[in-house]
Each structure stands twice: as structure tokens, then as C-alpha cells.
């Protein structure tokens, strides 16, 4: 999958197998933060899932491979934070395409890994949703009034 990187980099591909991708995600986790790392791990596990289509594997693989390129569209060295934006955009677009393939099993694996790497479990919080009365057209009919005097 990463043979094209050899052509782009003029030699040895920096990414040859999933173990190298895993190590890259792991090494960048502290800099990227929990949420970005979560997205990367979800992409990784979706890419490895046997039910993922070849096209989606190519999309994910390309987005992850883009992170390894020594020279990318906007280098961080030359463009600072903007240089990280193109990397984040590549991951975000891939994630948007395949996020519906993140199964409960994948989420469980990802959360367990994040808890290990970040040493702090993230507790799922639910915000209270205010009760909202939905008024349907039928409900808008005025109630019958008591008998009114007739003229």
C-alpha cells in the first residue's frame, strides 16, 4: 500500500507495515492530544478491519501515509501551525468518509489504548437534555370552550 511513498521519497519507504504506522501514532500521541490520537487510532483499526472496502483502505492509508511524508504540501517548518493544518485536514477527510464504520468493538479498543497511553481514562459524560414539548398541528387546535351565551 505504501509503495508510492518509495517513489515520492526516492528510496526506502518510511512506512512499510502496520507496526510502523502504530509506532508513528504512538510516538505522536502526546503532541497530538487525546482527540486527534483517537481519530488516528480509529482510522487505523477501520483500515485493518476485514469488512472495510479496498477503496476506503486506500483513502485511510493515503491519509495516514501523508503524515509520514518528509515534504508535504505545507511544511510545518515553513508554515508553522498552518503546516500542521494540511496534515489534520487529510486525516479529517478520511475520517469523515469512514466514521460510520467505527464499530463498538473498535471504539472499545481505541478507548483502552488511549487510557493506557494517556494514563487517564476519559469518562463518557452525558449532558442533560432539556425536555422540549413538541407541538404538532393537531395540538394547536384551541380547546373547546364552555358553552358560551348565544345571541
Amino acid at each position: 500500500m505504501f509503495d508510492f511513498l518509495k517513489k515520492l521519497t526516492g528510496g526506502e519507504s518510511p512506512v512499510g507495515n502496520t507496526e510502523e504506522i502504530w509506532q508513528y501514532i504512538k510516538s505522536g500521541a502526546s503532541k497530538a492530544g487525546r482527540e486527534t490520537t483517537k481519530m488516528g487510532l480509529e482510522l487505523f483499526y477501520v483500515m485493518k478491519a476485514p469488512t472495510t472496502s479496498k477503496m476506503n483502505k486506500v483513502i485511510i492509508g493515503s491519509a495516514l501515509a501523508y503524515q509520514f511524508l518528509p515534504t508535504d504540501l505545507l511544511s510545518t517548518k515553513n508554515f508553522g501551525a498552518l503546516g500542521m493544518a494540511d496534515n489534520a485536514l487529510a486525516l479529517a477527510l478520511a475520517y469523515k468518509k469512514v466514521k460510520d464504520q467505527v464499530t463498538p468493538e473498535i471504539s472499545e479498543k481505541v478507548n483502552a489504548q488511549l487510557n493506557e497511553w494517556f494514563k487517564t481514562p476519559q469518562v463518557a459524560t452525558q449532558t442533560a437534555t432539556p425536555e422540549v414539548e413538541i407541538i404538532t398541528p393537531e395540538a394547536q387546535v384551541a380547546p373547546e370552550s364552555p358553552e358560551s351565551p348565544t345571541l
Side-chain angles (χ1 to χ4, degrees):
M1 181 182 311
F2 296 105
D3 288 341
F4 73 95
L5 282 176
K6 288 182 182 177
K7 293 176 187 170
L8 288 174
T9 60
E12 212 37 53
S13 171
V15 184
N17 58 42
T18 55
E19 179 59 31
E20 291 179 35
I21 295 171
W22 182 261
Q23 291 304 319
Y24 178 80
I25 294 171
K26 183 178 179 180
S27 69
S30 62
K31 287 186 269 182
R34 188 178 182 106
E35 286 304 310
T36 303
T37 302
K38 179 180 179 181
M39 182 172 45
L41 286 172
E42 287 177 342
L43 286 170
F44 177 80
Y45 283 120
V46 169
M47 183 177 73
K48 288 183 62 178
T51 56
T52 303
S53 71
K54 287 182 182 180
M55 178 55 85
N56 283 343
K57 286 184 181 198
V58 168
I59 290 169
I60 295 168
S62 297
L64 289 172
Y66 188 72
Q67 310 309 307
F68 295 100
L69 290 174
T71 306
D72 58 15
L73 188 61
L74 299 172
S75 74
T76 305
K77 183 178 179 181
N78 294 334
F79 295 98
L82 185 60
M84 292 190 301
D86 66 330
N87 289 54
L89 181 63
L91 289 174
L93 290 174
Y95 186 75
K96 183 177 180 183
K97 173 76 173 146
V98 300
K99 69 182 176 183
D100 60 325
Q101 294 180 28
V102 176
T103 63
E105 293 80 16
I106 289 175
S107 290
E108 202 173 291
K109 284 181 188 178
V110 167
N111 285 328
Q113 192 60 60
L114 289 170
N115 291 341
E116 182 181 322
W117 287 350
F118 288 91
K119 306 290 186 218
T120 54
Q122 184 167 344
V123 178
T125 57
Q126 293 183 343
T127 56
T129 307
E131 291 189 28
V132 177
E133 182 180 345
I134 299 174
I135 299 175
T136 61
E138 297 83 31
Q140 292 180 2
V141 175
E144 291 183 27
S145 59
E147 286 186 35
S148 54
T150 54
L151 297 173

